């Protein structure tokens, strides 16, 4: 029975496909696998915006939206209607075509990456054998659209935002890719499905998630930090840094175009989180072998929501970094650390299983962390000060 | 034939009303204010969004710093003559539909500073204001009250017909004259299309000559 | 004149001669900008993100305070002072009352002095708390520290409302005392708030004091040397962060401040972090003062019986009275010509004069820095432009 | 260690997040308009005119002395003094305001009018829900809108109103005593000489 | 892999585009039918904190930003080279892995060089 | 260190300067020192750097407008009228004011003393009145002098950046002068009296009456 529930969507699709003429089968099959994604993730976007506002509210000792609809859950709908009926302003001097294309591109790019993300057992739109590569390749289109938006608006603040965005996003692209290489080394495949399948096995009750190795943990942390930066979330929200450059690259966007940017951003956040889950947290696999009766997609979305909660939590706490610190952090900490992490993963591979390789690899990674963080602090004052009092 | 047409019409009417309701509901439930404070009242405006009063409950905590994404301009504080062109320009740059709450005595009429040489006697000289909140500064509750009043006002607007609001009517302006700095005062000193002073008031004051002594 | 050397920024190449050099982006920050604390404006020229030119532009909230005061009587000026630095109205009242008292030689009764100290220090607490919240907001936190600060501020505002009737514009002090005595139970309520306040400070410190991002953002940013601080007339936490030991509560001992034991924290580097920390430490000292004042407050009258409120006409002459407002030295310079209205009413606004060094602090830094530097100066536009 | 301070901050926000479900101190929102904070007694918003008794026109304490109009810093009070006199609560004939307007779009709630009023006629109201869409009609309060009964005043500022009532009663008692004395004296005088025709002004109703 | 395994991606592309363009079209229809667009000189001017914008935003921007792009290009290409290596890593001999380590070291050398050249220090 | 001592010290160190102590009769007894504008800068720099005074901190800079005020005093004078000596009432009209003033409040942070109040007076009240700027000595005077330039119209020579501070560029008047006439915007004054009523009336008649 659990298997049937687990595979209910797959079975449903197969059953439907039986009624479709063979000629149309590929197309209908494609549509049938795409449509759920097109429904589920925008829906998740809507729910997340409410949850984020409510969660932030709770962190700040208040309720958050609770009037619009039951418990405020119709808030995104109201926002949507309002955006839809809002006047659309394009600055006179702007590049009209690029200005129009930018939000479209960001949404398309954000949706495309879901093609390779396994949402549950046997539930992936397409199992590419270069899935991870596809993910990163398509994912970088987001940067393009952000730059298009900032540049085409021809406002000074949006230009600054675009410049910040492009510098930031390309800098964090590299640690993002390098952090995932360790997993690929261990799995020996670029296919996301294979990677998850490898992790969905158990020793006793414990799963084989890559996050439970020293290099996996390091890789996961690097990946998550880079993912935060890629999706322009706090504390890396410089491109839209409200207190500095007002609204950054989308300063001139109104109406639904602005909503599309929001949608694209959140979809990007979900996608990178989903990728982190796929690579390090066992994808749709249950955390303990005795919990496998819970459907795989439930696990996937649980993990996804948990990661989003962390994003929100961080947003509720931290101040923003400055541009130079951000770049230094990327190039002088994250990048070397991820290179060392690849080396550590190699060492792990060649050492015999046992406590000794745990010790050695942990040592390598920890040492690298400490040395690199020291390097970051080197020419700064950066200390908790004590103060004197006038007599 | 007649019956048919009638039912057809009423059906369309139902559709139109529910569309209007949905439209009004969407607009009133998602009023994003412009992140824009001028003076004292701005602090109370901030206090309204803070934990004790929590404007977010109405879905209005999304203070957008850019006018392009804002629906509501809360003119919170004294509008000086040096600032007035900027306020009007910001209002102009907001997309329709847009609303203005004039918060506090200064924004309504210049308030205690109205006799100052650099103080504009009310922002409604240049832009149309939807709701006025008296007070110096108004309590946060008063702002929420005004917010509810604005929601009520939006809820009562028609989607079509001659009574439809300004933003749905192609003949009504959506941007207003931005005053310019003159040698002594702003030029023009008020927008006569927006600001219609009742004639009676100065003549009332005229009666007072003997009494004021 | 060594302190006057302006900070110059070394451009990588001279944009006027080098055709390959990058062009400067001339941006105006403000008057409507999320972090200019009102309607302040800075005309900024940017090379990339580096600030190579910065000119502050004032006057967007110039409400003709001084001119209006000339046509008001001495009592009528009092509510206007509330609106100078609209976050701390009570200290403004105090400074003005002190100036008039100096001008007319009025003595203030004991209990009124204590009430002044209590309300004044509460004002300092709520000002510093909200300033730190705003500073964090400028630094990009999504409201949490500001919310916590305002949570505490509301408690203090409740006290103000119970005492004076208004949350922000208290209009509490009169020359020769205070307007009303504390109502029944007010002192107990205040004691509760004071006792709970250190808990909030602890929470605040654990939220952000040792935060690495905060330290990296603020340390070494916006430095002001001790000499420049004195020469540019910086006062308040701004000056003390630069190591200038100048606290009017100690220097002038106005009111009854010589009765309390408290310390004046001094910074060493004069950067944003120091200013932030000095304010945190000052809040702890304020709590100490409040505890002592609550312990010692006597009963008695709250108004000098010899002072007329209506038809108050001081003798011709002039007086300069100043106090240590939360933002620095707030002074009132009054000239009386013997009539019921002040002949000249001048406010010495700490915020405006603390901004003198803005340009020195900001040149060569980048956009993100100037926002927090401005935040750390703690300006209120009502006072800057008046 | 890098990240220690960040973790501390994260723990603090988490504490507040979870605390908001159990601790009232960590969820300080008062859900206006359904929930309201208890009225603070000293609260002031805009002025009101106190009247004694039930008829607002009869009982107004204001005698149109114009002191508040003069003292009002932003000059938002407008009074037109009556030409005739009406007896006040103590029966003494007084001028009354033929017109008493307060422009609350200018008023800055400074309470100076209250302080200077020698007749305890003008006091501060606590009503703040005055937002309106009508700028010229809604914000200029006239005599009728401003007049509030002494009971209402006692309800919103009990302590202050109690003191005022006591003082007024005292004054009234004194006035009555004086009146009685005068009446007695008059009676004594009347016993001696025939009464003169009553003056027009002393006729009560 | 058959050809039509890329078909779902195409469908997703169309679907995504529809998701983006659909509402925009809807909004356009709404604007046509009910809420007329009203453009104007002040409304369609570039926003700059409420002031009239002076000067152009499309200027010769600071080259520092582009340097990052170039460095990125180098590293990204190398990172792409690392991907096939990573896939094949399970079957590598120690000697091959050491070759790869040399490649990694080259990357590190490049990074160190860029650091030394101060390309990566933001001004 | 009282004002007399400072005065004599200055006179000893700055030759040729004309100083005058302006007494303050109010209970505050903050007397001030009137400096002639020709020597003001030297005096000020002595006050800042002189070892005994060290007024390193300039707190407040104020402009004051003193328009011409006629005070007529009646005195009885013996005069020979028609050859006879008589007591005649003579009205002596003394003019005071007619100048703008800049006042500096100086303190010493080092020696914790003050205030020492310096005053400077302009020649007249025209649009082009000059005073030396103290901004090169005390940076804190920077914005305050600009403000005085803006609102009172005193031109401070030697100020590095003398522009309007509060009013916009292109504004022609100096609004803090006592004879400034503010712009006519008295359209709606429902509670006007006194001065405001007069202005509203004037506006009404200018509009052609309502």
């Amino acid at each position: 029975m659990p298997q049937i529930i687990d595979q209910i969507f797959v079975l449903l699709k197969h059953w439907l496909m039986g009624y479709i003429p063979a000629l149309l089968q590929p197309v209908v099959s494609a549509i049938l696998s795409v449509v759920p994604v097109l429904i589920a993730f925008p829906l998740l976007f809507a729910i997340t915006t409410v949850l984020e506002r409510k969660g932030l509210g709770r962190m700040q000792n208040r309720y958050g939206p609770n009037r619009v609809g039951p418990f405020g859950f119709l808030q995104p709908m109201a926002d949507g209607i309002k955006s839809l009926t809002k006047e659309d302003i394009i600055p006179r001097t702007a590049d009209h075509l690029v200005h129009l294309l930018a939000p479209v591109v960001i949404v398309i790019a954000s949706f495309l990456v879901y093609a390779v993300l396994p949402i549950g057992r046997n539930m992936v739109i397409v199992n590419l054998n270069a899935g991870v590569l596809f993910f990163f390749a398509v994912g970088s289109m987001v940067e393009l659209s952000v730059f298009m938006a900032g540049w085409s608006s021809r406002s000074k603040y949006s230009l600054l935002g675009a410049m910040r965005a492009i510098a930031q996003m390309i800098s964090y692209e590299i640690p993002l890719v390098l952090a995932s290489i360790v997993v690929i080394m261990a799995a020996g495949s670029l296919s996301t499905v294979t990677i998850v399948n490898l992790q969905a096995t158990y020793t006793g009750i414990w799963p084989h998630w890559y996050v439970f190795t020293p290099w996996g943990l390091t890789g996961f942390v690097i990946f998550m930090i880079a993912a935060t930066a890629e999706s322009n979330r706090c504390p890396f929200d410089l491109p839209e840094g409200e207190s500095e450059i007002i609204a950054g690259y989308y300063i001139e966007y109104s109406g639904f175009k602005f909503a599309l940017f929001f949608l694209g951003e959140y979809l990007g956040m979900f996608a990178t989180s989903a990728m982190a889950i796929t690579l390090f947290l066992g994808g749709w696999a249950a955390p303990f072998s005795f919990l496998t009766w819970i459907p795989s997609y439930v696990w996937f979305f649980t993990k996804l929501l948990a990661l989003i909660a962390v994003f929100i939590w961080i947003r509720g706490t931290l101040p923003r970094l400055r541009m130079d610190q951000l770049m230094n952090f990327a190039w002088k900490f994250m990048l070397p650390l991820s290179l060392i992490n690849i080396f550590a993963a190699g060492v792990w591979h060649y050492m015999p299983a046992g406590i000794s390789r745990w010790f050695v690899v942990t040592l390598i990674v920890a040492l690298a962390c400490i040395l690199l963080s020291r390097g970051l602090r080197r020419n700064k004052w950066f200390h908790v000060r004590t103060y004197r009092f006038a007599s | 034939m007649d019956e048919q047409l009638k039912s057809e019409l009423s059906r369309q009417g139902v559709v139109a009303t529910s569309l209007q309701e949905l439209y009004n509901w969407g607009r009133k439930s998602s009023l994003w204010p412009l992140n824009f404070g001028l003076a004292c009242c701005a602090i109370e405006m901030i206090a309204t969004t803070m934990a004790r009063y929590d404007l977010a409950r109405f879905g209005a905590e999304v203070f957008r710093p850019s006018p392009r994404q804002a629906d509501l301009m809360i003119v919170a504080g004294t509008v000086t003559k040096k600032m007035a062109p900027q306020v009007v320009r910001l209002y102009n740059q907001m997309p329709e539909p847009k609303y203005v709450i004039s918060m506090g005595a200064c924004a309504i009429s210049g308030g205690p500073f109205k006799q100052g040489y650099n103080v504009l006697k009310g922002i409604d000289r240049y832009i149309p204001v939807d709701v006025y909140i008296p007070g110096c500064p108004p309590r946060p509750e008063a702002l929420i009250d005004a917010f509810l009043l604005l929601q009520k006002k939006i809820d009562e607007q028609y989607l079509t017909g001659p009574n439809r609001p300004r933003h749905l009517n192609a003949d009504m302006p959506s941007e207003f004259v931005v005053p310019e700095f003159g040698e002594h005062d702003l030029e023009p000193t008020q927008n006569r299309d927006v600001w219609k002073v009742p004639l009676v008031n100065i003549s009332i004051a005229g009666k007072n000559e003997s009494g004021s002594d | 004149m060594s302190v006057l050397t302006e900070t110059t920024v070394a451009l990588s190449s001279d944009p006027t001669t080098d055709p390959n050099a990058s062009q400067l982006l001339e941006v105006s920050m403000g008057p409507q900008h999320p972090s200019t604390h009102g309607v302040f404006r800075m005309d900024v020229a940017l090379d990339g993100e580096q600030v190579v030119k910065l000119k502050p532009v004032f006057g967007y909230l110039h409400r003709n305070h001084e001119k209006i005061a000339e046509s008001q009587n001495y009592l009528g000026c009092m509510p206007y002072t509330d609106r100078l630095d609209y976050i701390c109205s009570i200290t403004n009242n105090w400074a003005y009352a002190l100036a008039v008292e100096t001008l007319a030689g009025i003595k203030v009764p004991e209990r009124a002095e204590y009430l002044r100290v209590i309300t004044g220090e509460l004002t300092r607490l709520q000002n510093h708390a909200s300033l730190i919240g705003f500073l964090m907001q400028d630094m990009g936190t999504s409201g949490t520290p500001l919310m916590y600060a305002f949570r505490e501020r509301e408690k203090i505002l409740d006290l103000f409302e119970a005492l004076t009737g208004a949350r922000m514009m208290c209009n509490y002090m009169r020359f020769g005392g205070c307007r009303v005595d504390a109502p029944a139970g007010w002192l107990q309520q205040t004691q509760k708030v004071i006792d709970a306040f250190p808990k909030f400070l602890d929470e605040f410190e654990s939220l952000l004091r040792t935060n690495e991002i905060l330290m990296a953002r603020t340390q070494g940013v916006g430095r002001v040397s001790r000499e420049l601080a004195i020469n540019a007339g910086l006062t308040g936490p701004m000056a003390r962060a630069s190591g200038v030991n100048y606290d009017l509560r100690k220097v002038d001992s106005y009111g009854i401040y010589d009765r309390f034991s408290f310390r004046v924290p001094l910074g060493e580097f004069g950067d944003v972090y120091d200013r932030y920390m000095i304010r945190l430490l000052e809040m702890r000292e304020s709590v100490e003062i409040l505890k002592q004042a609550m312990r010692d407050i006597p009963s008695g009258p709250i108004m000098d019986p010899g002072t007329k409120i209506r038809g108050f006409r001081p003798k011709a002459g002039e007086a300069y009275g100043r106090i240590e407002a939360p933002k620095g030295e707030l002074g009132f310079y009054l000239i009386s010509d013997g009539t019921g209205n002040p002949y000249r009413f001048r406010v010495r606004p700490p915020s405006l004069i603390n901004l003198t060094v803005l340009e020195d602090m900001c040149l060569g830094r980048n956009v993100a820095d100037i926002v927090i530097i401005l935040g750390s100066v703690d300006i209120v536009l009502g006072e800057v432009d008046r | 260690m890098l990240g220690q301070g960040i973790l501390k901050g994260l723990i603090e926000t988490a504490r507040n997040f979870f605390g908001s479900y159990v601790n009232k101190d960590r969820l300080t929102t008062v859900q206006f308009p359904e929930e309201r904070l208890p009225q603070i007694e000293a609260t002031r918003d805009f002025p009101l005119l106190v009247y004694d008794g039930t008829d607002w026109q009869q009982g107004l304490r204001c005698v149109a002395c114009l002191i508040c109009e003069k003292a009002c810093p932003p000059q938002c009070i407008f009074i037109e003094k009556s030409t005739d006199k009406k007896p006040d609560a103590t029966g003494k004939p007084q001028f009354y305001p033929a017109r008493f307007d307060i422009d609350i779009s200018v008023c800055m709630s400074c309470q100076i009018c209250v302080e200077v009023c020698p007749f305890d006629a003008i006091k501060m109201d606590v009503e703040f829900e005055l937002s309106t869409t009508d700028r010229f009609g809604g914000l200029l309060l006239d005599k009728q809108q401003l007049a509030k009964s002494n009971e209402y005043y006692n309800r919103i500022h009990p302590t202050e109103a109690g003191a005022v009532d006591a003082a007024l009663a005292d004054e009234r008692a004194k006035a009555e005593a004086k009146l009685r004395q005068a009446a007695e004296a008059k009676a004594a005088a009347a016993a001696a000489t025939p009464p003169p025709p009553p003056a027009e002004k002393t006729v009560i109703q | 892999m058959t050809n039509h395994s890329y078909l779902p991606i195409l469908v997703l592309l169309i679907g995504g585009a529809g998701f983006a363009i659909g509402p925009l079209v809807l909004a356009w229809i709404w604007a046509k039918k009910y809420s007329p667009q009203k453009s104007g000189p002040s409304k369609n001017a570039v926003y700059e904190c409420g002031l009239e914008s002076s000067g152009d935003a499309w200027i010769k921007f600071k080259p520092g930003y582009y340097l990052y792009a170039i460095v990125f290009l180098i590293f990204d290409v190398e990172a792409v080279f690392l991907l096939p290596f990573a896939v094949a890593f399970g079957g590598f001999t120690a000697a091959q892995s050491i070759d790869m380590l040399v490649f990694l070291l080259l990357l590190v050398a490049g990074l160190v060089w860029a650091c030394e050249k101060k390309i990566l220090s933001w001004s | 260190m009282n004002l007399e001592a400072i005065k004599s010290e200055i006179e000893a160190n700055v030759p040729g300067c004309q100083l005058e102590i302006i007494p303050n009769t109010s209970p505050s007894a903050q007397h001030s020192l009137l400096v002639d504008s020709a020597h003001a800068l030297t005096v000020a720099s002595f006050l800042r750097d002189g070892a005994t005074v060290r007024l390193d901190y300039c707190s407040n800079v104020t402009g004051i407008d003193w328009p011409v005020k006629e005070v007529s005093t009646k005195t009885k004078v013996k005069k020979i009228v028609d050859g006879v000596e008589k007591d005649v009432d003579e009205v002596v009209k003394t003019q005071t004011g007619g100048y703008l003033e800049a006042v500096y409040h100086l303190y010493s942070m080092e020696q914790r003393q003050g205030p020492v109040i310096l005053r400077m007076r302009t020649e007249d009240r025209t649009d082009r009145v000059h005073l030396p700027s103290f901004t090169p000595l005390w940076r804190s005077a920077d914005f305050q002098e600009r403000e005085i330039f803006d609102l009172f119209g005193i031109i401070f020579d030697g100020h590095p950046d003398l522009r309007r501070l509060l009013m916009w560029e292109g504004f022609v008047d100096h609004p803090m002068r006592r004879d400034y006439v503010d712009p006519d915007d008295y359209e709606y004054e429902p509670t006007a009296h006194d001065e405001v009523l007069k202005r509203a009336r004037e506006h009404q008649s200018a509009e052609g009456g309502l």
Side-chain angles (χ1 to χ4, degrees), chain A residues 248-265:
Chain A
Y249 56 87
Y250 51 61
I251 197 165
E252 294 289 354
Y253 281 90
S254 64
F256 212 79
K257 287 185 189 161
F258 170 65
L260 285 181
F261 272 109
F262 243 67
L263 175 68
E265 212 162 89

Side-chain angles (χ1 to χ4, degrees), chain B residues 157-180:
Chain B
Q157 283 177 344
Y158 296 103
L159 184 56
T160 50
N163 288 332
R164 64 190 190 275
R166 181 175 52 84
H167 70 272
L168 298 176
N169 191 339
D171 305 328
M172 306 273 256
S174 158
E175 59 167 62
F176 297 90
V177 182
V178 181
E180 275 171 16

Side-chain angles (χ1 to χ4, degrees), chain D residues 62-78:
Chain D
C62 180
V63 297
C65 66
L66 305 182
I67 291 178
C68 55
E69 192 193 67
K70 289 259 172 56
C72 176
Q75 308 201 335
C76 69
I77 304 179
F78 171 82

Side-chain angles (χ1 to χ4, degrees), chain C residues 66 320 329 331 333 344 346-349 352-353 386, chain F residues 57-64 101-106 117-118 120 131-135 138-149 152 154 156 159:
Chain C
E66 295 177 0
Y320 180 61
E329 175 187 326
Y333 176 58
R344 173 87 172 100
R346 153 82 183 163
V347 189
R348 186 249 187 229
L352 173 71
I353 295 164
R386 284 154 292 143
Chain F
Y57 163 57
C58 169
S59 166
N60 180 33
V61 187
T62 318
I64 308 165
E101 215 171 27
V103 182
Y104 293 76
H105 285 76
L106 306 174
I117 307 167
L118 283 192
M120 291 190 289
L131 282 180
S133 165
F134 285 173
T135 306
W138 292 282
R139 277 279 300 276
S140 52
D142 186 349
F143 290 150
Q144 306 188 59
E145 282 181 352
R146 268 179 72 185
E147 187 188 320
I148 294 170
F149 164 71
F152 287 93
I154 302 176
F156 285 94
H159 192 283

Side-chain angles (χ1 to χ4, degrees), chain F residues 14-65:
Chain F
V14 186
C17 68
Q18 291 157 14
L19 300 173
E20 187 191 333
I21 291 182
I22 308 283
N24 183 353
T25 49
S26 77
S28 76
Q30 293 171 345
H31 309 294
S32 50
L33 202 59
L34 179 67
V35 192
D36 65 320
S37 51
H39 293 85
L41 207 59
T42 348
V43 169
S45 85
F46 168 74
L47 286 176
R48 193 190 70 170
D49 300 326
T52 46
V53 271
R54 287 295 285 141
L55 297 166
D56 47 7
Y57 163 57
C58 169
S59 166
N60 180 33
V61 187
T62 318
I64 308 165
D65 181 18

Side-chain angles (χ1 to χ4, degrees), chain A residues 59-62 156-157 164 242-244 315-316 320 322 325 381-383 385 387-388 390, chain C residues 26 28-29 33 35 49 138-139 142 144 147-148 151 216-217 219 223 264 266 269 271 274 369:
Chain A
M59 270 178 227
Q60 297 163 349
N61 310 327
R62 58 190 175 90
K156 289 163 192 170
Y157 285 106
R164 280 180 169 193
E242 184 179 307
S243 61
E244 295 151 22
R315 185 179 162 203
R320 188 183 300 126
R322 196 170 62 210
Q325 289 158 355
W381 322 8
F382 208 70
H383 55 276
R385 294 178 188 162
Y387 286 83
R388 68 197 165 95
Chain C
E26 303 228 350
S28 143
M29 291 180 81
H33 187 282
S35 51
E49 280 208 27
D138 293 346
M139 224 173 277
S142 51
T144 312
M147 295 270 180
Y148 293 171
R151 186 185 68 203
R217 281 292 302 272
Q219 296 193 346
R223 295 188 64 187
V264 178
L266 293 181
F269 304 96
D271 54 13
D274 270 355
D369 282 339

Side-chain angles (χ1 to χ4, degrees), chain A residues 112-123:
Chain A
L112 269 188
V113 291
Y114 287 94
V116 294
L117 290 173
I119 293 161
R121 198 191 299 270
N122 302 327
M123 285 163 72

Side-chain angles (χ1 to χ4, degrees), chain A residues 75-207:
Chain A
Q75 189 64 55
M77 202 177 137
D79 289 344
I81 292 172
K82 196 248 348 224
S83 306
L84 209 58
T85 54
K86 199 101 177 120
E87 189 182 4
D88 181 31
I89 299 178
I90 304 172
R92 203 173 37 247
T93 48
D95 187 325
H96 284 52
L97 183 67
V98 181
H99 192 266
L100 171 72
L101 275 181
V104 177
V105 170
I106 197 171
V107 171
I108 293 176
S110 304
F111 267 122
L112 269 188
V113 291
Y114 287 94
V116 294
L117 290 173
I119 293 161
R121 198 191 299 270
N122 302 327
M123 285 163 72
V124 62
I125 292 180
V126 47
N127 179 10
L128 287 183
N129 49 14
V132 179
L133 192 60
F134 174 85
F135 180 88
F136 291 124
V138 175
S140 25
M141 260 165 76
V142 173
E143 286 142 54
L144 184 71
S145 80
V146 166
F147 188 73
M148 279 161 72
W151 181 258
S152 68
S153 297
R154 208 165 181 171
S155 159
K156 289 163 192 170
Y157 285 106
S158 74
L159 180 82
L160 278 175
M163 285 299 181
R164 280 180 169 193
I166 209 81
Q168 170 187 331
M169 289 168 101
I170 59 173
S171 297
Y172 280 86
E173 187 84 28
I174 300 168
L176 196 72
V177 178
L178 290 182
S180 58
I181 279 178
V182 286
V183 173
I184 298 160
M185 280 163 72
S189 168
L190 280 170
S191 157
T192 47
V193 176
T194 319
I195 290 170
V196 175
N197 285 341
L198 280 171
Q199 294 180 77
T201 54
Y202 299 87
T203 315
I205 58 162
W206 306 104

